[in-house]
Amino acid sequence: MANVSPTRGDITSHPDASEMRARYARMLGGRDVALVDGPVFLLGLYCAASPWILHYTTSQPALVTHNLIVGLAIALLALGFTRAPERMYGLSWAMCALGVWMIISPWIVGESPDAGVVWNNIVIGALAVILGLVCAGTAAKSAPRP
């Protein structure tokens, strides 16, 4: 019986290898996805789950809903940054705005929040601002110059 299965060889000899490399480099835009988008996604998930982690679901019901919605928004931004970075990195400033909102929200949305709730939102908000600035810096660095 003849061996009709293709032999496994090096992909560098493939005729489309250079085009695939160029497409991959264009998609990444010269940035490291895991260093920015991963922490943003994890921050969003933590923000969404933080009311149950810190057990303030009964004392601050308005902040529970608020943190869930804002956390999911941050996680969706991270997914967008990963999926379509060239179109989504303009929204990194929106993530900075979400971070500032997270910092001030315990006093606006909550009803006399305790120190744990306040510090939780301040840390989440500060990290969102910092990661949003990193995303904005990455977008500015990889943007084509006129």
Side-chain angles (χ1 to χ4, degrees):
M1 181 166 233
N3 183 7
V4 293
S5 62
T7 59
R8 295 196 181 257
D10 192 12
I11 194 160
T12 57
S13 63
H14 192 278
D16 295 332
S18 62
E19 181 184 342
M20 288 187 291
R21 266 191 224 100
R23 180 185 229 183
Y24 185 70
R26 212 174 37 248
M27 181 191 77
L28 286 180
R31 64 186 189 84
D32 194 355
V33 174
L35 289 178
V36 179
D37 300 344
V40 171
F41 184 71
L42 291 175
L43 179 70
L45 289 182
Y46 174 75
C47 180
S50 65
W52 293 275
I53 293 171
L54 297 179
H55 304 292
Y56 62 87
T57 55
T58 55
S59 65
Q60 298 289 332
L63 274 175
V64 171
T65 306
H66 170 268
N67 280 18
L68 179 65
I69 292 170
V70 172
L72 291 175
I74 291 172
L76 286 174
L77 278 174
L79 291 176
F81 292 158
T82 303
R83 184 76 175 138
E86 64 279 350
R87 288 184 280 169
M88 289 291 293
Y89 269 96
L91 289 176
S92 56
W93 295 108
M95 196 165 116
C96 293
L98 281 174
V100 170
W101 173 248
M102 281 299 294
I103 291 172
I104 62 173
S105 66
W107 296 282
I108 296 174
V109 177
E111 299 169 8
S112 64
D114 62 351
V117 173
V118 170
W119 278 108
N120 178 59
N121 279 21
I122 287 174
V123 169
I124 290 172
L127 287 173
V129 169
I130 291 168
L131 289 171
L133 290 173
V134 169
C135 289
T138 303
K141 184 174 72 174
S142 65
R145 303 279 180 209

